[in-house]
Amino acid sequence: MVKFISVNELKERLSGGQQSYVLADCRFLLNDPAAGEAVYAAGHIPGAVYVHLERDLSGPKRPDGAGGRHPLPDPSKLAVRLGSLGIGNGTTVIAYDDQGGAYAARLMWLLQWLGHDGERLIAAGGFAAWQASGGESSAAVPSPAAVQFTPHVQEGLAVDAAYVRERIGRSDVTIIDSREAPRYRGEIEPIDPKAGHVPSAINRFWKEGFDEDGMLKPARSQLERFAGLAADDEIIVYCGSGVTATPNFFALQSAGFTNVKLYAGSWSDWISYEGNAVATGEEE
């Protein structure tokens, strides 16, 4: 399970002499895909490697939009890339970004999907918290020794549009839209060509799962956010493209929900199929 750590704990870990971790900078901007790599080059937490959302943590986009804006990467190719960064199956991985933890969470979800069994940590507050605490930055790009990562894909963690379509309206399944409420209700849509949500989905904005320091709220608070869900219900989370739903995935896991799945293509995939229904407004 993923753990969120404070900037002070991050400093302790990085200064503690542990050699078997990889620190991953996951900064990214959806409206400027080159921005994250540019700020990494200008300065990052010393020792961090850069992981690019579209180049490393996503597969190629399809012309018809199927798979969404950030399709899942090929597991074998992702495993090779992880290995080139020094990440093996049991390596401790610490990730950060500057967008509330969503891009770091995408990396962590992919690691879980591939069967990574090492410790997975996200630095709360990201690079901004590191700087605010007086942490140093570096422009030096590390050259980690490549290791072997053997993927063991956890098939049940990711679902597609057909799977979601079959579960709409089932009493033992809850579909959760992780986007901001106006996008969920279909009032605005700044990114994708259609506005609205998957029929029957409820809305739980992913950022509401965090406190002001960027730490994941405790299980008690998550249970309040997801009140009404049974612990053994099937829960499917989605967002715009399978990135910002991952914090809700981990929030649900932290609260004890055991049957949580990610609709990997999410809304951008859903609307690529002409026959898929689109709902607007609030669900009862």
Side-chain angles (χ1 to χ4, degrees):
M1 184 178 295
V2 168
K3 178 184 177 182
F4 285 74
I5 59 174
S6 68
V7 68
N8 287 334
E9 186 174 351
L10 174 62
K11 286 183 174 182
E12 289 175 6
R13 284 180 173 262
L14 298 187
S15 64
Q18 181 184 359
Q19 299 299 315
S20 59
Y21 68 83
V22 169
L23 179 63
D25 185 317
C26 301
R27 287 179 286 175
F28 189 83
L29 289 178
L30 288 176
N31 60 358
D32 185 359
E37 201 162 21
V39 294
Y40 169 81
H44 49 265
I45 299 177
V49 296
Y50 184 70
V51 182
H52 194 282
L53 173 65
E54 295 186 346
R55 193 168 60 241
D56 300 320
L57 305 183
S58 305
K61 296 179 185 178
R62 287 177 45 173
D64 60 1
R69 287 183 278 108
H70 297 108
L72 289 182
D74 176 88
S76 296
K77 292 180 179 178
L78 177 57
V80 170
R81 176 58 176 153
L82 293 170
S84 74
L85 296 173
I87 299 174
N89 292 74
T91 304
T92 294
V93 182
I94 308 170
Y96 69 90
D97 57 37
D98 58 1
Q99 294 290 324
Y103 300 115
R106 167 76 171 205
L107 169 60
M108 295 302 175
W109 185 89
L110 288 170
L111 287 169
Q112 184 170 337
W113 178 59
L114 289 190
H116 175 264
D117 56 9
E119 194 174 17
R120 297 186 292 275
L121 307 169
I122 295 177
F127 190 67
W130 176 263
Q131 286 185 308
S133 71
E136 297 180 355
S137 64
S138 171
V141 177
S143 299
V147 298
Q148 180 73 30
F149 190 106
T150 303
H152 303 286
V153 176
Q154 310 299 296
E155 299 290 353
L157 291 186
V159 300
D160 60 13
Y163 187 98
V164 174
R165 196 182 304 117
E166 293 173 355
R167 279 155 174 75
I168 290 174
R170 280 181 42 169
S171 61
D172 60 341
V173 178
T174 300
I175 303 173
I176 297 178
D177 187 311
S178 305
R179 299 171 299 166
E180 292 179 271
R183 291 184 69 192
Y184 162 80
R185 293 193 295 262
E187 297 166 0
I188 61 169
E189 182 44 65
I191 303 175
D192 295 307
K194 291 182 183 179
H197 61 265
V198 175
S200 82
I202 63 174
N203 182 223
R204 297 293 183 273
F205 182 38
W206 70 274
K207 286 189 177 181
E208 294 171 352
F210 294 86
D211 65 19
E212 59 185 11
D213 295 320
M215 292 288 288
L216 199 65
K217 291 178 180 177
R220 179 182 66 257
S221 298
Q222 303 297 347
L223 287 170
E224 291 173 359
R225 290 182 66 219
F226 300 113
L229 303 187
D232 57 352
D233 278 356
E234 181 178 38
I235 303 170
I236 301 170
V237 295
Y238 78 91
C239 53
S241 64
V243 177
T244 59
T246 56
N248 265 346
F249 179 94
F250 293 127
L252 285 156
Q253 283 195 332
S254 75
F257 294 96
T258 58
N259 191 9
V260 187
K261 297 174 170 63
L262 173 69
Y263 173 20
S266 287
W267 182 247
S268 54
D269 172 69
W270 183 259
I271 59 174
S272 73
Y273 300 96
E274 194 169 322
N276 280 349
V278 171
T280 57
E282 298 281 357
E283 297 282 350
E284 294 294 332

